[in-house]
Every structure is written in structure tokens, then in C-alpha cells.
Amino acid sequence: MSGTLKATGRVGAGAGVWLPRVAWAALIYNVLVILWGAVVRLTGAGAGCGEHWPLCNGVVVPQSPTLHTVIEFSHRLTSGASGLLAIGLVALAFVGTTKGHPARFGALLSLGLIILEGLVGGVQVLLGLTATSTDPARGFVQGVHLANTFLLLGALLLTALWASGGPRLRLRGQGRPGALVGAGLALLLVLGMAGAVTALGDLLFLPADSSTPVQTVRGDLGAVNLIQNLRVIHPMLAILTSAYLAWLAAWLRRERPGAQVSRWSAALWTLLGLQMLAGFANIALKAPGWLQLTHLLLACIMWLVTVMLSYAALTGLRAARPAPAPLRGAA
């Protein structure tokens, strides 16, 4: 039976018990890694290992490291651990499920995105796009990094859902709901990329004086650096995306009614409100580090909630179809 979990064998049974646990743990762990990566940016420690990657200052373990080196090296260690966790997730998925089970695809996709995440970070270091660099290419790489991060979190979430016995996701035949959900997710990705550029611009160009928000915007528009110019796009895009997602959540409640859709649409509305408040506070308080971290955490949670809402809506009409068999030993 393609798509079912192994029902025999002690190895498969043990893997079946651990697969969902490891998948959920990997998701939570990667959110923490993302936040620590933001700490690296906020402290200017991105060049703590020099322009060396994967080595740190040309060695495996730095000797007599500075504080910036410790911060950057610890981020590399935690990122490497996420890769090992992803490899373990793939191994468990292939041992604990049979051919065709969606958890296998999710685990492989997660591993591929983690590898890509490391490569993007490596490119950033090797090209010197860290610390105080104002090269416009840094903004592009930062945006790609964030988009890949969101895709990774989405892949890990789906893997955890499938490993826990959730129905597989089919995109064909979804019609208008599928198109509108896809547009919402795409908008949120673009918003995240713009937010990454804005956060970088706040670090590099935010004036320390008592300039009003209007004066700051005028300065950004008249600046010669592209990263500073783009800082003004994120707030406008945030308003547009928030309005669309709020409407989409209400529309899905009507078109794909169900307890899960209602629950996740309400969660999305709450997060949209919190994010707007955090965004305005960022502008008013001139983006202090703790608030930037809060804003990023809320962004990660909002992305995951939007993926959950999309998953619930697109699988709701197929709930009567056989879902992947529960993991052996998990019942």
C-alpha cells in the first residue's frame, strides 16, 4: 500500500514513534537558529570568522576568539546541528514509512533547503557581505536568505504534519481557493524578503538623532544607496499584504468551512494585528534590537500559521479520503 507506514519490523516501529517528535523538534529548533542568526546581524558579528567559510578565520576551531567570533562561530555550530537534525529526519522517514509516503518528500525537501540555507550564508561570508557592508548585493542575498528560511520552516511544518498522520496535500483541482492561497503565500514571502532588507537598512542607515518618521523617509528616498532606498517599501507592502491575508482568512472560512480553518484564520487575524503593532513600534522607537527580534519571531509564527491555514483549507474537502496511516507505536 503506497503511502502507508511500515507495519512490521522493530526498526520501523521505533522510527515511527520518533519521526513526528523529531520533525516537530526540528521545526522549533530552526526557529531558534533563525533568531540567533538575527542576533549575529544585530551585533555586527557576521564578520567574526573573517571571510572564511566553512572554516572560521582559517581554522576549524578559533583560538583566543573575540566576542564577535564567538557569536558567529556559535551560529555556524547551531546551523550545522540543524543539518544533522535534518539528516536524521530523512533517515527516520525512510525507515519508518513506506515508499510514496509524503513525510519522505517533506524530509528530503527540508534537508535540501537547509543545505541551500548554508550555501547562501557561505556566499554572504565569502563575498564580504557582512558586518558594516553596504553593498546592494547584500540586500539581495539577505532577501533570498529570508525567503529560503520561510520555505524551510514550511517544509518542516508539513513534514511534521504528515509524520503525525495528516492527509497529503494535493494542489491539482483546488480551483480558486488554491490560486488565492498561493497568492497569499507568495505575498508573504515577498513581504519577508522586503522585511529582511529593511532590517538590514535599519542596522546600517537608521539615524541616531531625533528625526521624525517623515524626515527619515525623505532621507531614505533621497539616499544614493539602494538598501536605504528600499527601506520604505516594507511598511507599504505590509499594509497591502495584511489586508489581503485578513480578507483571505475570512473568505476561506466561508468557502472551506471547518473547525481547523476557523481556528487558524482567527490565529492569523490575531498575528496580523500584533505584527502591525510591532511594525509601528519599530518605526516609533527606531528599531531597537529586542523589538527587531520580536518582529522576526512574530513573522516566523505568522508564516507558519498561514501555512497551517492553507493546509487546512486545501485538505478540508479531502478529509474523507484515506490519510496516511498513523505511525506505528504512536497510537
Side-chain angles (χ1 to χ4, degrees), residues 93-185:
F94 274 79
V95 171
T97 69
T98 55
K99 184 179 179 180
H101 195 279
R104 289 189 174 191
F105 169 75
L108 285 172
L109 180 60
S110 298
L111 177 59
L113 289 170
I114 282 181
I115 292 173
L116 183 57
E117 188 93 334
L119 292 176
V120 172
V123 168
Q124 194 169 8
V125 171
L126 293 174
L127 295 181
L129 305 176
T130 58
T132 58
S133 171
T134 59
D135 190 325
R138 185 180 180 186
F140 173 77
V141 174
Q142 199 86 1
V144 171
H145 208 14
L146 193 283
N148 189 78
T149 294
F150 272 16
L151 292 174
L152 169 60
L153 293 181
L156 287 170
L157 175 59
L158 290 175
T159 303
L161 290 171
W162 288 326
S164 302
R168 70 177 66 244
L169 179 63
R170 298 186 184 278
L171 301 180
R172 289 185 179 180
Q174 292 289 350
R176 188 181 180 191
L180 293 176
V181 163
L185 292 172

Side-chain angles (χ1 to χ4, degrees), residues 165-168 170 312-324:
R168 70 177 66 244
R170 298 186 184 278
L314 298 183
T315 58
L317 294 184
R318 304 178 183 274
R321 302 183 63 165

Side-chain angles (χ1 to χ4, degrees), residues 47 56 76 94 138 193 198 204 215 220 227 241 258 317:
C56 184
R76 294 190 184 188
F94 274 79
R138 185 180 180 186
M193 295 174 71
T198 297
L204 298 174
Q215 292 172 328
D220 291 339
I227 295 176
T241 302
L317 294 184

Side-chain angles (χ1 to χ4, degrees), residues 259-271:
Q260 291 293 320
V261 172
S262 296
R263 180 180 298 113
W264 293 112
S265 60
L268 181 56
W269 288 329
T270 301
L271 284 165

Side-chain angles (χ1 to χ4, degrees), residues 23-320:
W24 288 112
L27 175 61
I28 296 171
Y29 179 77
N30 274 274
V31 171
L32 297 177
V33 172
I34 291 164
L35 294 177
W36 189 244
V39 171
V40 174
R41 172 180 54 80
L42 289 169
T43 57
C49 287
E51 294 185 8
H52 298 89
W53 187 90
L55 298 178
C56 184
N57 291 325
V59 296
V60 176
V61 179
Q63 305 297 315
S64 302
T66 64
L67 177 60
H68 279 184
T69 301
V70 171
I71 294 174
E72 167 64 7
F73 186 64
S74 64
H75 178 56
R76 294 190 184 188
L77 289 178
T78 55
S79 298
S82 69
L84 295 177
L85 196 56
I87 293 173
L89 185 61
V90 170
L92 285 172
F94 274 79
V95 171
T97 69
T98 55
K99 184 179 179 180
H101 195 279
R104 289 189 174 191
F105 169 75
L108 285 172
L109 180 60
S110 298
L111 177 59
L113 289 170
I114 282 181
I115 292 173
L116 183 57
E117 188 93 334
L119 292 176
V120 172
V123 168
Q124 194 169 8
V125 171
L126 293 174
L127 295 181
L129 305 176
T130 58
T132 58
S133 171
T134 59
D135 190 325
R138 185 180 180 186
F140 173 77
V141 174
Q142 199 86 1
V144 171
H145 208 14
L146 193 283
N148 189 78
T149 294
F150 272 16
L151 292 174
L152 169 60
L153 293 181
L156 287 170
L157 175 59
L158 290 175
T159 303
L161 290 171
W162 288 326
S164 302
R168 70 177 66 244
L169 179 63
R170 298 186 184 278
L171 301 180
R172 289 185 179 180
Q174 292 289 350
R176 188 181 180 191
L180 293 176
V181 163
L185 292 172
L187 270 175
L188 202 49
L189 270 181
V190 174
L191 175 62
M193 295 174 71
V197 176
T198 297
L200 179 61
D202 288 342
L203 176 68
L204 298 174
F205 301 107
L206 191 65
D209 56 26
S210 57
S211 301
T212 65
V214 173
Q215 292 172 328
T216 300
V217 170
R218 288 176 178 171
D220 291 339
L221 292 175
V224 297
N225 189 282
L226 182 61
I227 295 176
Q228 188 172 0
N229 294 151
L230 293 177
R231 286 181 66 232
V232 299
I233 293 180
H234 180 62
M236 296 184 291
L237 189 58
I239 295 173
L240 172 65
T241 302
S242 296
Y244 179 84
L245 290 177
W247 170 83
L248 178 63
W251 188 83
L252 289 174
R253 282 174 68 107
R254 184 179 70 250
E255 296 297 320
R256 296 287 175 92
Q260 291 293 320
V261 172
S262 296
R263 180 180 298 113
W264 293 112
S265 60
L268 181 56
W269 288 329
T270 301
L271 284 165
L272 286 171
L274 291 175
Q275 272 293 62
M276 293 300 289
L277 287 175
F280 285 126
N282 251 324
I283 296 174
L285 300 178
K286 295 189 179 295
W290 66 268
L291 191 50
Q292 288 193 48
L293 287 175
T294 301
H295 201 32
L296 176 59
L297 176 60
L298 287 173
C300 291
I301 297 174
M302 188 167 75
W303 166 256
L304 292 171
V305 166
T306 305
V307 173
M308 278 297 309
L309 173 61
S310 303
Y311 177 80
L314 298 183
T315 58
L317 294 184
R318 304 178 183 274

